[in-house]
Amino acid sequence: EQVQQRLISSGINAEYGQHYYITNNLRNRMALLKLTKVLVSDKIASDCLKAFEGKGVEVTYKPGLSKTELMDIISEYNGIVVRSATKLTADVIKAAVNLEIIGRAGTGVDNIDQNAASEAGIVVMNTPGGNTNSAAEHTCALLLAMCRNLPNRHNELMNGKWNRINGIELEGKTIGIVGLGRIGMIVAHRMQAFGMKTVGYDPFVPAKVAAEKGVEFMELTDMWPVCDFITIHVPLLASTKHMINSEVLSKCKPGVRIVNCARGGIIDEDALLESLNNGKVACAALDVFEKEPPAFDSALIQHPNLIATPHLGASTAEAQIRVAREIAEQFLALRDAKSSFGCLNAPLMRDVCGDPAKAALAQNLGKLLHALNPKAESISVKADSKTIAPFGVLIGYLNAKGVSANFVNIKKVAADNSLSFEYSECSDGITVSSGDVSLTGKPNENAGLLTAVNNKAVEIALPGDDVENSEKVMEQLISHL
């Protein structure tokens, strides 16, 4: 009350006295996430649970929850780990009022509403490397099986038929790889060992990089007519849904063979069935389907020139252990501001992990600025960072205003609240100003040091979670105004 009265007597935004205290939600600079309780809602190797528990995180293991059961308990947790069975839809995420991070122990995240998570400020993370080798090897196994149609030959032999039908060889054939990420590149390397010509397309991989791996870069329209084999390694997005359709298949070489170990829905299954029936596609191998499990008696599943497996791409003992261990390690690394590896919707986190002390200072300065000028619409930020400093300041300012914002959703939240910043480069700390108030600070081992108020030199240590010192800080601050 004394601090508030002194502010009012100084004529500083007196009508907003209730905003003049530093809020207590500034996290320690080395703890970007609370991460005290994690729910694991799908079956996963015990390595995941052990990794969390070894770092003091309480873990609840409840695979097989219904949507209603999940919505009833998800508010109790800071983090959740899923595989592919749990569906984190917008309404489930809305119920997760304390959730900070979602982890997919695997690669595909089409069972997670990333837009809803981002708006809620929840990090979405996957383990891009955990099942890479497993998926690549399964792709290679299906490619080889297609060449001799091994499932049919096996079934015939089991039924007493000795049917020595000729197959084809891989050597000298051209394989088109759609998606030149980790898995696609491993497949390319393995198929090169079989003497195949590898061509590929990826909108994010330059032709020069592909060439360094022995892959000739081609646009898709150029690739379809020249490939003997096509293998898919892209995520399921609006832009990739039914990428392989009737029009594309009509452009392919007669007798093409197609493998999909990526995601169901990338291939139009009706179009594929039609092409299998008319011989345009000699054989197809699918590990994933538009609906899983598919209808077992469907014409596609029963087609003699289809090889089907029940989504086994990541189903090796080694991959299960890797993704389980890696998702826990990635959660903990982000919590401790060591790494943002695997984050899919939080590009700013990479910079925050690179300089967490600066992020803590920026947020603290934003909170202090709000205490002195709660009606700012634009904030001037001078710093040596175009990301951590200005966005950190906006986060601190909005948090002090009672608005939930963090480095995941700050751009949208700031726009929704008509708050912007003007950035200029400065190598000496961070300076924020709005109206008649200017604050300068420098990072330290805690939450920053205030070094100037309205260009007057000061030395005020800023607390992190030490909220009982907030009145002391404000008293010191006011004395220099």
Side-chain angles (χ1 to χ4, degrees):
E1 292 177 356
Q2 292 176 354
V3 174
Q4 180 175 330
Q5 290 303 315
R6 290 184 64 181
L7 284 165
I8 292 172
S9 65
S10 300
I12 303 175
N13 295 311
E15 69 273 25
Y16 289 96
Q18 69 270 25
H19 294 292
Y20 294 154
Y21 294 99
I22 296 177
T23 57
N24 66 352
N25 61 346
L26 175 64
R27 300 189 181 105
N28 183 280
R29 74 181 187 92
M30 292 303 288
L32 295 183
L33 308 172
K34 292 186 180 74
L35 206 63
T36 55
K37 293 183 67 178
V38 171
L39 172 65
V40 178
S41 61
D42 286 332
K43 292 181 179 179
I44 198 168
S46 61
D47 298 63
C48 176
L49 314 183
K50 292 175 182 177
F52 279 128
E53 291 167 348
K55 294 295 183 178
V57 178
E58 181 182 338
V59 184
T60 301
Y61 183 60
K62 286 191 174 183
L65 292 170
S66 69
K67 182 177 180 179
T68 300
E69 291 171 332
L70 178 61
M71 292 180 70
D72 285 343
I73 66 171
I74 196 169
S75 63
E76 302 173 19
Y77 299 92
N78 312 120
I80 182 170
V81 173
V82 302
R83 295 296 312 277
S84 57
T86 298
K87 311 301 180 186
L88 294 178
T89 55
D91 51 344
V92 174
I93 289 171
K94 185 177 181 180
V97 293
N98 292 307
L99 201 64
E100 297 176 311
I101 184 168
I102 296 167
R104 165 70 163 96
T107 304
V109 290
D110 43 290
N111 56 321
I112 300 167
D113 190 325
Q114 289 193 69
N115 290 332
S118 297
E119 287 189 12
I122 300 169
V123 174
V124 177
M125 175 182 284
N126 70 351
T127 53
N131 62 7
T132 297
N133 190 68
S134 175
E137 287 189 358
H138 193 59
T139 301
C140 296
L142 292 178
L143 285 165
L144 288 164
M146 282 198 302
C147 289
R148 306 296 180 93
N149 207 334
L150 295 182
N152 280 355
R153 302 294 81 79
H154 169 79
N155 290 335
E156 290 168 353
L157 189 63
M158 295 296 289
N159 289 314
K161 294 181 180 179
W162 186 262
N163 198 356
R164 299 178 64 192
I165 296 176
N166 286 337
I168 65 169
E169 297 179 0
L170 291 175
E171 186 174 18
K173 304 296 192 301
T174 298
I175 183 169
I177 303 165
V178 183
L180 297 172
R182 292 177 176 86
I183 297 172
M185 284 300 193
I186 291 177
V187 172
H189 180 67
R190 305 282 169 85
M191 291 301 102
Q192 288 162 8
F194 278 94
M196 298 193 80
K197 178 181 179 180
T198 51
V199 301
Y201 170 81
D202 191 307
F204 304 106
V205 176
K208 181 180 179 181
V209 173
E212 290 172 354
K213 301 293 185 179
V215 178
E216 180 184 346
F217 187 91
M218 281 189 177
E219 296 295 334
L220 292 175
T221 51
D222 299 324
M223 184 190 301
W224 307 133
V226 302
C227 293
D228 302 294
F229 292 81
I230 295 171
T231 180
I232 309 298
H233 302 287
V234 296
L236 178 61
L237 306 170
S239 59
T240 61
K241 183 175 176 61
H242 288 182
M243 170 186 279
I244 306 298
N245 51 41
S246 295
E247 181 182 358
V248 167
L249 291 170
S250 70
K251 297 175 182 177
C252 290
K253 180 185 287 190
V256 67
R257 288 167 167 82
I258 300 174
V259 178
N260 185 12
C261 286
R263 276 290 179 267
I266 296 171
I267 296 178
D268 181 339
E269 293 179 0
D270 291 335
L272 178 62
L273 177 60
E274 181 182 354
S275 294
L276 284 168
N277 284 334
N278 63 32
K280 181 71 172 186
V281 175
C283 188
L286 303 181
D287 186 50
V288 290
F289 304 87
E290 293 195 53
K291 181 182 178 182
E292 294 186 359
F296 300 126
D297 60 351
S298 69
L300 180 62
I301 295 298
Q302 295 297 324
H303 201 284
N305 291 330
L306 178 81
I307 298 174
T309 53
H311 205 146
L312 298 178
S315 296
T316 63
E318 295 87 349
Q320 297 303 303
I321 292 171
R322 278 196 299 268
V323 297
R325 183 182 65 247
E326 288 176 9
I327 195 63
E329 290 174 348
Q330 289 172 208
F331 267 41
L332 295 165
L334 185 62
R335 179 197 69 176
D336 298 338
K338 293 179 179 178
S339 169
S340 63
F341 181 75
C343 288
L344 300 174
N345 66 334
L348 292 173
M349 284 296 190
R350 180 178 180 179
D351 293 335
V352 173
C353 289
D355 199 342
K358 186 177 292 179
L361 170 64
Q363 291 176 80
N364 237 351
L365 289 175
K367 292 174 182 178
L368 289 173
L369 184 64
H370 178 268
L372 303 176
N373 183 8
K375 281 189 169 183
E377 295 181 356
S378 180
I379 300 173
S380 171
V381 180
K382 296 180 180 179
D384 63 355
S385 165
K386 295 181 179 180
T387 55
I388 300 175
F391 288 114
V393 169
L394 296 188
I395 290 167
Y397 191 92
L398 289 167
N399 287 168
K401 195 176 180 178
V403 177
S404 178
N406 59 25
F407 283 102
V408 177
N409 63 4
I410 181 55
K411 293 181 180 180
K412 184 177 187 304
V413 174
D416 290 346
N417 285 269
S418 301
L419 182 63
S420 62
F421 67 85
E422 295 178 2
Y423 173 80
S424 56
E425 192 167 350
C426 172
S427 60
D428 190 21
I430 301 174
T431 296
V432 300
S433 59
S434 182
D436 297 330
V437 179
S438 173
L439 304 171
T440 300
K442 291 185 177 181
N444 64 8
E445 68 278 4
N446 294 310
L449 182 70
L450 196 63
T451 58
V453 177
N454 287 350
N455 298 319
K456 297 177 184 177
V458 300
E459 189 171 323
I460 302 174
L462 303 178
D465 293 327
D466 195 11
V467 69
E468 63 267 22
N469 288 330
S470 61
E471 293 184 12
K472 178 181 178 181
V473 171
M474 292 305 296
E475 287 178 350
Q476 290 179 288
L477 181 58
I478 295 165
S479 69
H480 293 285
L481 289 172

